[in-house]
PDB file of all heavy atoms in Angstrom:
ATOM      1  N   ASN A 127    -126.676 121.504  34.737  1.00  0.00           N
ATOM      2  CA  ASN A 127    -127.406 120.412  34.104  1.00  0.00           C
ATOM      3  C   ASN A 127    -127.500 120.685  32.611  1.00  0.00           C
ATOM      4  O   ASN A 127    -127.919 121.771  32.195  1.00  0.00           O
ATOM      5  CB  ASN A 127    -128.800 120.307  34.744  1.00  0.00           C
ATOM      6  CG  ASN A 127    -129.605 119.143  34.196  1.00  0.00           C
ATOM      7  OD1 ASN A 127    -129.886 119.085  33.006  1.00  0.00           O
ATOM      8  ND2 ASN A 127    -129.990 118.236  35.077  1.00  0.00           N
ATOM      9  N   PRO A 132    -129.998 125.494  27.518  1.00  0.00           N
ATOM     10  CA  PRO A 132    -130.698 126.506  26.703  1.00  0.00           C
ATOM     11  C   PRO A 132    -131.306 127.627  27.541  1.00  0.00           C
ATOM     12  O   PRO A 132    -131.242 128.807  27.159  1.00  0.00           O
ATOM     13  CB  PRO A 132    -131.787 125.689  25.992  1.00  0.00           C
ATOM     14  CG  PRO A 132    -131.261 124.291  25.959  1.00  0.00           C
ATOM     15  CD  PRO A 132    -130.512 124.133  27.255  1.00  0.00           C
ATOM     16  N   THR A 154    -123.503 113.666  29.394  1.00  0.00           N
ATOM     17  CA  THR A 154    -124.095 112.908  28.292  1.00  0.00           C
ATOM     18  C   THR A 154    -123.778 111.424  28.357  1.00  0.00           C
ATOM     19  O   THR A 154    -124.209 110.654  27.494  1.00  0.00           O
ATOM     20  CB  THR A 154    -123.616 113.458  26.944  1.00  0.00           C
ATOM     21  OG1 THR A 154    -122.180 113.421  26.898  1.00  0.00           O
ATOM     22  CG2 THR A 154    -124.083 114.889  26.751  1.00  0.00           C
ATOM     23  N   VAL A 201    -111.572 124.833  29.938  1.00  0.00           N
ATOM     24  CA  VAL A 201    -112.082 123.822  30.864  1.00  0.00           C
ATOM     25  C   VAL A 201    -111.186 123.771  32.099  1.00  0.00           C
ATOM     26  O   VAL A 201    -109.960 123.682  31.988  1.00  0.00           O
ATOM     27  CB  VAL A 201    -112.135 122.434  30.202  1.00  0.00           C
ATOM     28  CG1 VAL A 201    -112.786 121.421  31.145  1.00  0.00           C
ATOM     29  CG2 VAL A 201    -112.894 122.500  28.879  1.00  0.00           C
ATOM     30  N   VAL A 203    -110.702 122.192  36.327  1.00  0.00           N
ATOM     31  CA  VAL A 203    -111.036 121.077  37.208  1.00  0.00           C
ATOM     32  C   VAL A 203    -111.191 121.580  38.640  1.00  0.00           C
ATOM     33  O   VAL A 203    -110.307 122.255  39.174  1.00  0.00           O
ATOM     34  CB  VAL A 203    -109.953 119.979  37.163  1.00  0.00           C
ATOM     35  CG1 VAL A 203    -110.229 118.895  38.204  1.00  0.00           C
ATOM     36  CG2 VAL A 203    -109.874 119.368  35.771  1.00  0.00           C
ATOM     37  N   GLY A 221    -121.266 106.797  69.664  1.00  0.00           N
ATOM     38  CA  GLY A 221    -120.330 105.678  69.621  1.00  0.00           C
ATOM     39  C   GLY A 221    -119.946 105.299  68.200  1.00  0.00           C
ATOM     40  O   GLY A 221    -120.674 105.587  67.251  1.00  0.00           O
ATOM     41  N   LYS A 244    -129.274  99.569  42.891  1.00  0.00           N
ATOM     42  CA  LYS A 244    -128.594  98.622  42.006  1.00  0.00           C
ATOM     43  C   LYS A 244    -127.515  99.308  41.185  1.00  0.00           C
ATOM     44  O   LYS A 244    -126.427  98.760  40.979  1.00  0.00           O
ATOM     45  CB  LYS A 244    -129.612  97.945  41.090  1.00  0.00           C
ATOM     46  CG  LYS A 244    -129.020  96.835  40.235  1.00  0.00           C
ATOM     47  CD  LYS A 244    -130.098  96.078  39.475  1.00  0.00           C
ATOM     48  CE  LYS A 244    -129.469  94.922  38.684  1.00  0.00           C
ATOM     49  NZ  LYS A 244    -130.507  94.136  37.956  1.00  0.00           N
ATOM     50  N   THR A 248    -125.064  98.393  45.565  1.00  0.00           N
ATOM     51  CA  THR A 248    -125.350  97.955  46.938  1.00  0.00           C
ATOM     52  C   THR A 248    -126.094  96.630  46.980  1.00  0.00           C
ATOM     53  O   THR A 248    -126.002  95.898  47.967  1.00  0.00           O
ATOM     54  CB  THR A 248    -126.146  99.025  47.706  1.00  0.00           C
ATOM     55  OG1 THR A 248    -127.292  99.414  46.942  1.00  0.00           O
ATOM     56  CG2 THR A 248    -125.290 100.251  47.964  1.00  0.00           C
ATOM     57  N   ARG A 250    -125.431  93.975  45.247  1.00  0.00           N
ATOM     58  CA  ARG A 250    -124.409  92.916  45.256  1.00  0.00           C
ATOM     59  C   ARG A 250    -123.694  92.866  46.600  1.00  0.00           C
ATOM     60  O   ARG A 250    -123.368  91.782  47.106  1.00  0.00           O
ATOM     61  CB  ARG A 250    -123.410  93.154  44.127  1.00  0.00           C
ATOM     62  CG  ARG A 250    -122.280  92.132  44.051  1.00  0.00           C
ATOM     63  CD  ARG A 250    -122.801  90.727  43.902  1.00  0.00           C
ATOM     64  NE  ARG A 250    -121.705  89.755  43.859  1.00  0.00           N
ATOM     65  CZ  ARG A 250    -121.786  88.537  44.330  1.00  0.00           C
ATOM     66  NH1 ARG A 250    -122.924  88.110  44.889  1.00  0.00           N
ATOM     67  NH2 ARG A 250    -120.759  87.720  44.255  1.00  0.00           N
ATOM     68  N   GLU A 253    -125.708  90.816  48.940  1.00  0.00           N
ATOM     69  CA  GLU A 253    -125.569  89.378  48.666  1.00  0.00           C
ATOM     70  C   GLU A 253    -124.269  88.838  49.254  1.00  0.00           C
ATOM     71  O   GLU A 253    -124.246  87.757  49.864  1.00  0.00           O
ATOM     72  CB  GLU A 253    -125.586  89.131  47.162  1.00  0.00           C
ATOM     73  CG  GLU A 253    -126.918  89.383  46.489  1.00  0.00           C
ATOM     74  CD  GLU A 253    -126.823  89.186  44.985  1.00  0.00           C
ATOM     75  OE1 GLU A 253    -125.735  88.792  44.495  1.00  0.00           O
ATOM     76  OE2 GLU A 253    -127.824  89.433  44.292  1.00  0.00           O
ATOM     77  N   HIS A 264    -118.326  92.666  58.676  1.00  0.00           N
ATOM     78  CA  HIS A 264    -119.598  93.379  58.795  1.00  0.00           C
ATOM     79  C   HIS A 264    -119.646  94.480  57.738  1.00  0.00           C
ATOM     80  O   HIS A 264    -118.613  95.053  57.370  1.00  0.00           O
ATOM     81  CB  HIS A 264    -119.748  94.004  60.180  1.00  0.00           C
ATOM     82  CG  HIS A 264    -120.157  93.023  61.233  1.00  0.00           C
ATOM     83  ND1 HIS A 264    -121.303  93.171  61.977  1.00  0.00           N
ATOM     84  CD2 HIS A 264    -119.573  91.878  61.665  1.00  0.00           C
ATOM     85  CE1 HIS A 264    -121.406  92.171  62.835  1.00  0.00           C
ATOM     86  NE2 HIS A 264    -120.367  91.375  62.671  1.00  0.00           N
ATOM     87  N   MET A 268    -124.101 103.554  55.058  1.00  0.00           N
ATOM     88  CA  MET A 268    -124.392 104.866  55.637  1.00  0.00           C
ATOM     89  C   MET A 268    -124.914 105.777  54.534  1.00  0.00           C
ATOM     90  O   MET A 268    -124.190 106.118  53.596  1.00  0.00           O
ATOM     91  CB  MET A 268    -123.128 105.465  56.272  1.00  0.00           C
ATOM     92  CG  MET A 268    -123.413 106.743  57.051  1.00  0.00           C
ATOM     93  SD  MET A 268    -122.001 107.301  58.046  1.00  0.00           S
ATOM     94  CE  MET A 268    -120.924 108.012  56.783  1.00  0.00           C
ATOM     95  N   ALA A 284    -132.599  93.363  59.025  1.00  0.00           N
ATOM     96  CA  ALA A 284    -133.420  92.600  59.963  1.00  0.00           C
ATOM     97  C   ALA A 284    -133.015  91.127  60.003  1.00  0.00           C
ATOM     98  O   ALA A 284    -133.143  90.474  61.051  1.00  0.00           O
ATOM     99  CB  ALA A 284    -134.894  92.727  59.585  1.00  0.00           C
ATOM    100  N   TRP A 359    -107.024  98.734  47.213  1.00  0.00           N
ATOM    101  CA  TRP A 359    -106.990  97.646  46.255  1.00  0.00           C
ATOM    102  C   TRP A 359    -108.052  97.881  45.179  1.00  0.00           C
ATOM    103  O   TRP A 359    -109.081  98.499  45.421  1.00  0.00           O
ATOM    104  CB  TRP A 359    -107.307  96.313  46.941  1.00  0.00           C
ATOM    105  CG  TRP A 359    -106.554  96.118  48.219  1.00  0.00           C
ATOM    106  CD1 TRP A 359    -105.373  95.453  48.391  1.00  0.00           C
ATOM    107  CD2 TRP A 359    -106.921  96.591  49.518  1.00  0.00           C
ATOM    108  NE1 TRP A 359    -104.989  95.498  49.707  1.00  0.00           N
ATOM    109  CE2 TRP A 359    -105.911  96.177  50.425  1.00  0.00           C
ATOM    110  CE3 TRP A 359    -108.009  97.318  50.012  1.00  0.00           C
ATOM    111  CZ2 TRP A 359    -105.963  96.465  51.773  1.00  0.00           C
ATOM    112  CZ3 TRP A 359    -108.065  97.628  51.354  1.00  0.00           C
ATOM    113  CH2 TRP A 359    -107.059  97.195  52.232  1.00  0.00           C
ATOM    114  N   PRO A 362    -111.345  93.224  39.411  1.00  0.00           N
ATOM    115  CA  PRO A 362    -112.527  93.113  38.552  1.00  0.00           C
ATOM    116  C   PRO A 362    -113.788  92.911  39.390  1.00  0.00           C
ATOM    117  O   PRO A 362    -113.736  92.302  40.466  1.00  0.00           O
ATOM    118  CB  PRO A 362    -112.225  91.877  37.694  1.00  0.00           C
ATOM    119  CG  PRO A 362    -110.735  91.788  37.681  1.00  0.00           C
ATOM    120  CD  PRO A 362    -110.283  92.262  39.035  1.00  0.00           C
ATOM    121  N   GLY A 368    -114.114  87.866  46.453  1.00  0.00           N
ATOM    122  CA  GLY A 368    -112.924  87.154  46.907  1.00  0.00           C
ATOM    123  C   GLY A 368    -111.961  88.050  47.664  1.00  0.00           C
ATOM    124  O   GLY A 368    -111.360  87.621  48.657  1.00  0.00           O
ATOM    125  N   LEU A 373    -109.527  89.804  52.998  1.00  0.00           N
ATOM    126  CA  LEU A 373    -108.951  90.902  53.776  1.00  0.00           C
ATOM    127  C   LEU A 373    -109.172  90.698  55.274  1.00  0.00           C
ATOM    128  O   LEU A 373    -110.267  90.365  55.708  1.00  0.00           O
ATOM    129  CB  LEU A 373    -109.577  92.232  53.359  1.00  0.00           C
ATOM    130  CG  LEU A 373    -109.107  92.839  52.040  1.00  0.00           C
ATOM    131  CD1 LEU A 373    -109.883  94.114  51.746  1.00  0.00           C
ATOM    132  CD2 LEU A 373    -107.612  93.141  52.081  1.00  0.00           C
ATOM    133  N   ARG A 382    -103.584 102.598  55.978  1.00  0.00           N
ATOM    134  CA  ARG A 382    -104.241 103.678  56.701  1.00  0.00           C
ATOM    135  C   ARG A 382    -103.436 104.979  56.637  1.00  0.00           C
ATOM    136  O   ARG A 382    -103.955 106.043  56.319  1.00  0.00           O
ATOM    137  CB  ARG A 382    -104.471 103.273  58.155  1.00  0.00           C
ATOM    138  CG  ARG A 382    -105.571 102.244  58.352  1.00  0.00           C
ATOM    139  CD  ARG A 382    -105.830 102.036  59.836  1.00  0.00           C
ATOM    140  NE  ARG A 382    -106.946 101.143  60.084  1.00  0.00           N
ATOM    141  CZ  ARG A 382    -108.216 101.518  60.095  1.00  0.00           C
ATOM    142  NH1 ARG A 382    -108.530 102.781  59.863  1.00  0.00           N
ATOM    143  NH2 ARG A 382    -109.177 100.646  60.342  1.00  0.00           N
ATOM    144  N   VAL A 393    -108.608 118.877  49.983  1.00  0.00           N
ATOM    145  CA  VAL A 393    -109.697 119.602  50.627  1.00  0.00           C
ATOM    146  C   VAL A 393    -110.250 120.636  49.655  1.00  0.00           C
ATOM    147  O   VAL A 393    -109.561 121.071  48.720  1.00  0.00           O
ATOM    148  CB  VAL A 393    -109.238 120.290  51.934  1.00  0.00           C
ATOM    149  CG1 VAL A 393    -108.921 119.251  53.003  1.00  0.00           C
ATOM    150  CG2 VAL A 393    -108.029 121.186  51.689  1.00  0.00           C
ATOM    151  N   VAL A 400    -109.712 127.876  41.908  1.00  0.00           N
ATOM    152  CA  VAL A 400    -110.031 128.003  40.478  1.00  0.00           C
ATOM    153  C   VAL A 400    -111.186 128.966  40.265  1.00  0.00           C
ATOM    154  O   VAL A 400    -111.265 129.657  39.246  1.00  0.00           O
ATOM    155  CB  VAL A 400    -110.369 126.617  39.888  1.00  0.00           C
ATOM    156  CG1 VAL A 400    -110.921 126.725  38.461  1.00  0.00           C
ATOM    157  CG2 VAL A 400    -109.121 125.727  39.906  1.00  0.00           C
TER     158      VAL A 400
END
Side-chain angles (χ1 to χ4, degrees):
N127 183 299
T154 57
V201 185
V203 173
K244 186 173 183 178
T248 52
R250 179 57 181 148
E253 291 177 3
H264 281 239
M268 188 170 76
W359 313 265
L373 284 177
R382 287 187 175 276
V393 291
V400 171

